[in-house]
Amino acid sequence: MTAVTTRTEQAAATSDGYTVVKAKHPGRWLSAVVIIVIAGLLLRSVITNPNFGWDIVGLYLRDVSIGRGILVTLGLTAISMAIGIVLGVIFAVMRLSANPIVRSAAFAYVNFFRGTPVLVQLLFWFNLAALYPVITLGIPGVQLDANQLITPMTAAILGLGLNQGAYMSEIVRAGILSVDHGQTEAAEALGITRLQTMRRVVLPQAMRVIIPPTGNETIGMLKTTALVSVISVPELLYSAQIIYARTFETVPLLIVASLWYLLITSILTVGQYYLERRFARGNQRNLPPTPLQQLKRFFATHDALSLKGGKK
Amino acid sequence: MTTAHDVEPMVKANAICKNFGSNQVLKGIDLHVQPGEVVCLIGPSGSGKSTFLRCINHLETVDGGRMWVNGKIVGYDLKGSKLYEQSHNDVCRSRSEVGMVFQQFNLFPHMTVLENLIEAPRLVRKEKKAEAVARAMTLLEKVGLAEKAQAYPRQLSGGQQQRVAIARALCMEPQLMLFDEPTSALDPELVGEVLKVMKDLANSGMTMVVVTHEMNFARDVADRVVFMADGHVVEQGPAREVITNPQNERTKAFLASVLSEPAAA
């Protein structure tokens, strides 16, 4: 052993006597340095610029009216998505119907609600009273005052739910079409009716295709609910707006709202991961371990190793 | 019309015709299958065997002729001299008396083996769970897969999946079993276990119509072999006779080409 050989050279020497020199990647180093410098500059300005008002952000992050706004946002997201999913399944099945009128009606619905901006739809629902001051639903004896019936909240739920139904129906339709026709045939041969086949055989398998985009849609919906601030529904953004209209601390409160949106979407992303795993059952022989399981396994093996070492 | 003393055929096909667009696949098929009989349909691909099989349980509607299963016209209700086309749900109810096994198994991948078996009895016959499970376990025992009850189909070999598919069809206690090339999608070494289950079933007295390319199975297990070509029944008769001593030129040519293959198990 000569004292001059460095560790890397020792490691790289192969059994047949050659010394292997690893390729250098100057480009990688350069791009990493550039990005770290830019990130550092950004971070510095975020910390040192007093206009961000981090102390105010910290103050309002746990404000009661912001908290109420979050609850409204979550509730609105859940209800609108629920309506959207139910409508989506109904219209997807209609799109695949043998009846051409039923098929066209579903297509017209999807086309209308996908083809107009959701903001315009929300304003329409909000101003429904101008179009139909009295809602009778065509049933004799039913006389509903549109001004009382269409509160900002109902307008928001109708607007978001109906719009989401159009998008969901396309997602559900793709899912249904992804299921092998042999499945329907096997169910039919067993005497299972069409509706039961859809519910018990086709839809559960379509879920694998439906879940990932639905997760994206849910995250999208959470952010779209911010639009209903224009019809003064007190959700997260509107709650922040009410505060900064009074205190003029616009930027800190927009940061408060953004941080909350970011936190909730992050949680939803984790939820989506586990949901996808659940519906992959039966399609993969062995599911890969979750990050949590990987972590547990990592510590388990290391415990075992240290125990062995201790016994020696 | 049959008299009361005649045995009603399980399947009675009269001049069945079927078109796919302008292509006539079945050109007037006549076939009777007696209760307890095992009939193998053989013939070159495209001869209409599978289509005919699918007409028996109304997975395909016929364009001409009439099909009776167990004394009832398939797809219609006879009232007086009028035939009323059945609603989808009525068709389903009649189908539940006919079991079918597919080439691609078509097990429900999101359900365990046991759930696959009890699904139809629970949904169609509204059976109690315990009752359906008990029968399902007996059937799984019979096809030698009782220990796989909680496995998912993907965890099984092709031969095991097809045995589960047979058990699933039997769980509806059908009076007639249809097999559509049940071993064609299997690796050669897995064919035997499926044929054995089918042979046991035949020996137990089940009425079976089998579309197959397994000539040894047809010769040894079937009562009758029907050779189809170009949408016609070309030749039929006792299994051993047709396969070992075919009369028609086309049957001879077909059997020569099939039996020359060394793969026959």
Side-chain angles (χ1 to χ4, degrees):
Chain A
M1 247 192 276
T2 49
V4 263
T5 42
T6 61
R7 259 189 69 192
T8 42
E9 275 170 347
Q10 268 178 354
T14 55
S15 57
D16 55 358
Y18 291 107
T19 303
V20 179
V21 181
K22 293 240 162 143
K24 296 193 170 60
H25 300 283
R28 286 186 198 172
W29 283 102
L30 185 68
S31 52
V33 167
V34 168
I35 286 172
I36 288 169
V37 167
I38 292 174
L41 288 173
L42 268 174
L43 194 65
R44 199 181 70 134
S45 104
V46 165
I47 293 169
T48 56
N49 185 342
N51 293 337
F52 274 99
W54 289 108
D55 48 335
I56 300 162
V57 170
L59 199 66
Y60 280 109
L61 212 48
R62 293 180 305 172
D63 187 83
V64 182
S65 63
I66 293 287
R68 258 185 244 126
I70 292 167
L71 289 182
V72 173
T73 291
L74 286 176
L76 202 54
T77 305
I79 295 172
S80 309
M81 276 312 288
I83 293 174
I85 289 169
V86 170
L87 287 179
V89 172
I90 293 171
F91 282 101
V93 173
M94 282 172 70
R95 279 292 291 278
L96 299 167
S97 158
N99 184 334
I101 302 291
V102 171
R103 233 169 26 224
S104 319
F107 177 77
Y109 166 84
V110 171
N111 202 36
F112 178 80
F113 283 95
R114 283 204 314 182
T116 52
V118 65
L119 183 56
V120 176
Q121 290 170 32
L122 283 167
L123 292 171
F124 248 110
W125 287 111
F126 187 60
N127 293 300
L128 193 69
L131 206 56
Y132 292 104
V134 177
I135 296 171
T136 62
L137 294 172
I139 308 164
V142 175
Q143 292 262 324
L144 299 167
D145 182 5
N147 266 321
Q148 282 185 341
L149 194 69
I150 304 293
T151 62
M153 198 58 176
T154 41
I157 290 172
L158 278 172
L160 294 177
L162 287 169
N163 183 68
Q164 192 57 34
Y167 284 94
M168 282 309 299
S169 96
E170 288 297 283
I171 291 171
V172 174
R173 191 168 70 100
I176 291 173
L177 290 177
S178 76
V179 178
D180 179 26
H181 185 63
Q183 292 289 309
T184 322
E185 240 172 32
E188 277 187 16
L190 285 164
I192 300 172
T193 64
R194 229 171 248 168
L195 207 64
Q196 288 171 331
T197 303
M198 189 53 83
R199 195 167 54 84
R200 300 279 307 172
V201 177
V202 177
L203 282 179
Q205 293 185 63
M207 282 303 169
R208 203 167 39 91
V209 174
I210 294 173
I211 292 284
T214 304
N216 287 337
E217 291 288 314
T218 309
I219 290 165
M221 174 61 85
L222 187 94
K223 295 180 293 168
T224 308
T225 55
L227 281 181
V228 305
S229 60
V230 299
I231 55 174
S232 56
V233 174
E235 43 69 67
L236 178 51
L237 177 61
Y238 192 65
S239 305
Q241 284 174 329
I242 288 174
I243 296 170
Y244 71 64
R246 197 177 60 230
T247 66
F248 300 108
E249 290 153 339
T250 310
V251 170
L253 275 146
L254 287 177
I255 291 173
V256 167
S258 302
L259 285 177
W260 276 112
Y261 281 120
L262 200 59
L263 179 71
I264 301 168
T265 50
S266 305
I267 293 170
L268 286 178
T269 307
V270 174
Q272 184 186 0
Y273 173 80
Y274 281 95
L275 210 60
E276 277 176 34
R277 270 177 70 88
R278 199 188 135 68
F279 281 97
R281 273 181 325 166
N283 283 295
Q284 274 168 293
R285 279 168 207 236
N286 290 305
L287 290 169
T290 64
L292 206 67
Q293 286 169 338
Q294 282 173 1
L295 213 62
K296 268 187 192 160
R297 206 168 291 175
F298 178 79
F299 283 112
T301 42
H302 283 256
D303 269 356
L305 282 177
S306 63
L307 269 176
K308 252 186 211 165
K311 270 180 190 171
K312 262 182 193 172
Chain B
M1 283 276 104
T2 53
T3 63
H5 289 290
D6 281 334
V7 182
E8 187 74 43
M10 185 61 76
V11 179
K12 192 163 80 177
N14 275 3
I16 297 295
C17 293
K18 174 71 189 175
N19 308 321
F20 288 125
S22 60
N23 180 21
Q24 195 173 19
V25 186
L26 299 178
K27 300 167 182 165
I29 304 284
D30 293 306
L31 187 74
H32 288 200
V33 180
Q34 299 302 328
E37 202 180 12
V38 176
V39 174
C40 278
L41 300 180
I42 63 170
S45 56
S47 58
K49 320 178 289 286
S50 288
T51 307
F52 177 71
L53 195 75
R54 293 160 61 84
C55 287
I56 297 178
N57 70 348
H58 210 52
L59 279 181
E60 304 284 355
T61 53
V62 300
D63 296 320
R66 199 70 69 209
M67 180 82 79
W68 283 265
V69 170
N70 206 7
K72 282 175 279 185
I73 294 179
V74 171
Y76 296 91
D77 285 324
L78 180 65
K79 283 178 191 145
S81 62
K82 279 187 183 159
L83 285 176
Y84 294 90
E85 193 176 353
Q86 281 181 339
S87 72
H88 180 78
N89 287 0
D90 287 337
V91 172
C92 283
R93 205 161 302 133
S94 349
R95 268 197 201 118
S96 66
E97 295 166 17
V98 181
M100 185 155 187
V101 174
F102 298 87
Q103 185 177 350
Q104 297 295 341
F105 329 136
N106 295 346
L107 292 177
F108 305 134
H110 57 303
M111 299 181 191
T112 64
V113 165
L114 186 63
E115 285 166 350
N116 263 280
L117 262 69
I118 64 173
E119 186 69 9
R122 297 267 288 145
L123 285 181
V124 181
R125 305 196 341 181
K126 314 282 178 214
E127 270 182 55
K128 293 223 163 51
K129 191 172 179 187
E131 208 178 309
V133 167
R135 196 171 60 253
M137 287 312 295
T138 316
L139 285 165
L140 285 177
E141 197 84 51
K142 228 177 244 177
V143 300
L145 289 169
E147 79 282 6
K148 297 288 186 189
Q150 300 304 329
Y152 283 95
R154 287 284 163 94
Q155 297 165 325
L156 305 180
S157 74
Q160 290 172 328
Q161 288 191 50
Q162 193 62 298
R163 278 145 68 197
V164 171
I166 294 171
R168 179 175 70 174
L170 290 175
C171 212
M172 286 297 283
E173 302 184 308
Q175 309 199 334
L176 167 68
M177 283 286 285
L178 308 175
F179 293 85
D180 189 3
E181 304 200 24
T183 57
S184 297
L186 296 176
D187 290 338
E189 79 270 22
L190 302 176
V191 169
E193 60 188 72
V194 173
L195 291 183
K196 188 188 169 298
V197 168
M198 289 170 63
K199 194 173 173 180
D200 291 346
L201 191 61
N203 290 337
S204 74
M206 176 63 76
T207 315
M208 292 164 60
V209 182
V210 184
V211 173
T212 188
H213 293 292
E214 296 292 331
M215 291 307 140
N216 290 349
F217 174 81
R219 188 191 58 214
D220 298 338
V221 179
D223 298 303
R224 194 147 49 96
V225 161
V226 176
F227 176 74
M228 284 176 68
D230 293 333
H232 293 286
V233 172
V234 173
E235 181 171 356
Q236 59 173 309
R240 195 163 287 273
E241 230 166 82
V242 173
I243 290 176
T244 52
N245 186 21
Q247 301 301 312
N248 187 287
E249 284 308 316
R250 298 199 60 174
T251 321
K252 279 181 195 168
F254 173 74
L255 285 170
S257 71
V258 174
L259 292 175
S260 65
E261 283 171 24

